Amino acid sequence: MLNERSKKLFIEAKKVIPGGVNSPVRAFKSVGGDPIFIKKAKGAYLFDEDNNKYIDYISSWGPLILGHAHESVIEAINQQSHKGTSYGIPTELETKMAELVVELAPNVDKVRFVNSGTEACMSAVRLARGFTGKDKIIKFSGCYHGHADPFLIEAGSGASTFGMPNSPGVTKSSAKDTLLAEYNNIDQVMQLFEKNKNEIAAIILEPVAGNMGCVLPKQNFISELKKICLSNDSLLIFDEVMTGFRLALGGAQELLSIDADLITYGKVIGGGLPVGAFGGRSEIMDFLAPDGPVYQAGTLSGNPIAMSAGFAMLTYLQQNPNVFASLNEKTTYLSKGVEERLKNSELPFQINQLGSMMSLHFTNDPVIDFTSAKKGDNDYFKRYFHAMLANGVYLPPSAYESYFLNDAISYEDLDHTLDALSDSLSFIERK
Ligand code: KE4
């Protein structure tokens, strides 16, 4: 594939944008080569500036669960934009969107909208600290909750892709209030509570992790976390920025049948526009300003364009719940097809999948946490990524990401993807 125009655009971009991108993972640093620049997208397909077509397996890192430019979302944005884009004044639309989230999200009485998943997670942690009067939080290595200081302590997405577990600029004082445990390791969590009695405000985790590849919680892991939180007057925060409205209409809380105290959302909730949210029981949410003492704010929070896109997205999912079954079936078809092809190769591999989240790891060991995820052969991964890209398949450009299928992907697209893998195997295996 010719990428001359993308190469030129990348050179231009780097002159005025750090690294040429507005989010590090897009720069292809962990897979090598230069990023492609996208001109447009529709349904399951991306079209780059050199008119190459790709089947999209990142769906804007999750939001576009129905595929690009879905008519219901575009129509809602069109209609709202003629009424103005932002007022900074309450609107009925925000209430309607909040009512819909409260209806769809289990165990959420009230919700506050923000503009990103980072903001949602950052605000939820501040609220948990304010509500409990405690300072420390526990997070898990390999889980990513955005780029706020308390989380860049061995983050599992972009930061770990660069092997920069602790980002410069994160102060020692903020780092001391973030305790780390290995995902799926309940003993480490218990030890942290022993050592930090009455100091831990919350545990925050991805209930199904997607930032070390897709990693599933072990049986009882999360129910044990909930018990520990209850017995220590700490809060359990589910970061559902990735899983919310993707794994099920009620997200991981529904799928895993377990309630968290605070839940954060992003990605799908905005239908492709910048929306984050955090919600929970009224007794906790009422601690937020202006009624409560915990401050949190945002100029464009709840802006009508983003609300209209999110409302259209969630309404469509509510009225077409078969989307989730369809996505799960397509993802299972893909993961089984990949397994079929790789088991006849020399390559070590593990495939993790839950619903429409999946990841492929070039390692013999089960991937159950960040330590095991890091054992994956990144050289194989790089060759795999570029071989698939050359075959018109755009995968996440990092071994520490999950595939995000969208429901516009057809079985023909899935077969093309599997054929591309077959074509790529000799290239991937080359030492
Ligand atoms: P944003 O601030 O990027 O909207 O959300 C942060 C975030 C929070 N929680 C989870 C579980 C997340 O996955 C994310 C962001 N996900 C990454 C992809 N793994 C976004 C891609 C990027 O950083 O460009």
Side-chain angles (χ1 to χ4, degrees):
M1 289 193 167
L2 277 178
N3 293 333
E4 290 317 303
R5 184 149 167 68
S6 282
K7 285 188 187 310
K8 183 177 174 306
L9 288 171
F10 192 40
I11 291 166
E12 296 303 310
K14 285 192 279 192
K15 292 175 187 168
V16 286
I17 302 173
V21 292
N22 286 302
S23 199
V25 72
R26 303 176 192 172
F28 278 19
K29 288 276 188 202
S30 61
V31 290
D34 290 343
I36 57 171
F37 277 60
I38 295 300
K39 178 161 60 180
K40 64 178 182 177
K42 178 67 180 166
Y45 309 121
L46 301 167
F47 301 88
D48 74 10
E49 289 285 353
D50 295 280
N51 296 318
N52 298 307
K53 176 181 173 185
Y54 305 89
I55 301 168
D56 182 14
Y57 282 96
I58 68 166
S59 309
S60 179
W61 299 98
L64 301 170
I65 195 169
L66 301 175
H68 292 275
H70 192 272
E71 63 276 358
S72 63
V73 175
I74 298 301
E75 179 54 28
I77 294 170
N78 279 340
Q79 280 187 14
Q80 176 57 40
S81 55
H82 298 289
K83 301 178 195 167
T85 56
S86 180
Y87 316 119
I89 305 167
T91 61
E92 182 186 12
L93 184 51
E94 291 160 88
T95 306
K96 292 290 176 213
M97 178 66 171
E99 287 169 345
L100 182 55
V101 172
V102 167
E103 183 187 348
L104 299 181
N107 161 56
V108 169
D109 299 334
K110 290 185 178 174
V111 61
R112 170 65 59 87
F113 295 111
V114 292
N115 301 281
S116 70
T118 296
E119 243 192 299
C121 294
M122 176 180 89
S123 307
V125 161
R126 183 183 308 139
L127 176 58
R129 286 171 163 161
F131 180 75
T132 62
K134 301 171 185 176
D135 292 346
K136 291 184 176 171
I137 60 168
I138 292 176
K139 77 172 288 288
F140 295 93
S141 302
C143 283
Y144 179 67
H145 306 296
H147 64 89
D149 282 6
F151 307 132
L152 289 183
I153 316 290
E154 208 171 295
S157 179
S160 70
T161 301
F162 291 99
M164 285 192 305
N166 293 316
S167 169
V170 175
T171 61
K172 289 189 177 53
S173 57
S174 59
K176 75 173 174 36
D177 286 331
T178 300
L179 307 171
L180 276 172
E182 278 282 10
Y183 200 76
N184 280 322
N185 189 323
I186 203 70
D187 293 341
Q188 284 185 358
V189 174
M190 292 169 80
Q191 286 159 23
L192 288 173
F193 271 90
E194 276 306 307
K195 287 183 194 153
N196 300 272
K197 276 201 177 309
N198 298 321
E199 293 185 74
I200 298 173
I203 296 174
I204 184 168
L205 80 156
E206 297 175 56
V208 175
N211 285 288
M212 34 186 161
C214 177
V215 173
L216 279 55
K218 278 183 185 165
Q219 187 76 19
N220 302 326
F221 173 59
I222 298 182
S223 53
E224 286 301 314
L225 291 179
K226 181 157 184 171
K227 280 185 207 152
I228 293 171
C229 284
L230 280 172
S231 55
N232 287 278
D233 294 323
S234 304
L235 299 184
L236 181 62
I237 303 175
F238 270 10
D239 174 352
E240 290 223 46
V241 168
M242 200 182 273
T243 57
F245 309 106
R246 169 170 282 279
L247 288 184
L249 199 50
Q253 287 192 109
E254 176 189 319
L255 196 71
L256 305 176
S257 308
I258 193 160
D259 286 352
D261 295 302
L262 286 172
I263 305 96
T264 64
Y265 296 103
K267 297 180 190 285
V268 173
I269 197 173
L273 268 69
V275 178
F278 59 107
R281 301 191 300 278
S282 295
E283 65 165 325
I284 305 174
M285 295 302 288
D286 288 343
F287 253 67
L288 273 177
D291 291 351
V294 177
Y295 195 69
Q296 184 278 329
T299 302
L300 292 170
S301 296
N303 81 76
I305 301 283
M307 290 291 101
S308 63
F311 190 81
M313 171 65 85
L314 298 192
T315 302
Y316 186 93
L317 292 175
Q318 182 183 35
Q319 292 171 353
N320 300 274
N322 59 305
V323 166
F324 299 103
S326 169
L327 271 171
N328 297 353
E329 285 153 20
K330 288 175 180 176
T331 310
T332 301
Y333 182 88
L334 180 65
S335 62
K336 293 287 174 239
V338 170
E339 185 181 13
E340 270 305 303
R341 285 155 181 78
L342 289 182
K343 74 181 182 188
N344 302 324
S345 76
E346 303 299 310
L347 293 166
F349 73 95
Q350 299 287 326
I351 299 171
N352 286 356
Q353 181 211 339
L354 185 65
S356 63
M357 292 170 63
M358 74 171 268
S359 55
L360 169 60
H361 304 260
F362 291 112
T363 174
N364 281 315
D365 301 325
V367 177
I368 57 161
D369 55 22
F370 196 35
T371 302
S372 46
K374 285 190 280 189
K375 288 181 186 164
D377 183 320
N378 258 349
D379 285 336
Y380 278 145
F381 184 85
K382 289 177 185 177
R383 291 202 289 274
Y384 165 59
F385 174 81
H386 281 289
M388 297 296 275
L389 190 68
N391 276 290
V393 177
Y394 194 97
L395 298 172
S398 160
Y400 298 114
E401 296 290 354
S402 299
Y403 302 3
F404 298 102
L405 271 75
N406 65 65
D407 201 39
I409 286 179
S410 66
Y411 281 91
E412 192 183 356
D413 296 324
L414 295 170
D415 287 336
H416 172 90
T417 304
L418 293 168
D419 291 344
L421 175 61
S422 301
D423 292 350
S424 307
L425 280 177
S426 56
F427 176 77
I428 300 169
E429 283 171 326
R430 194 181 309 149
K431 290 288 176 224

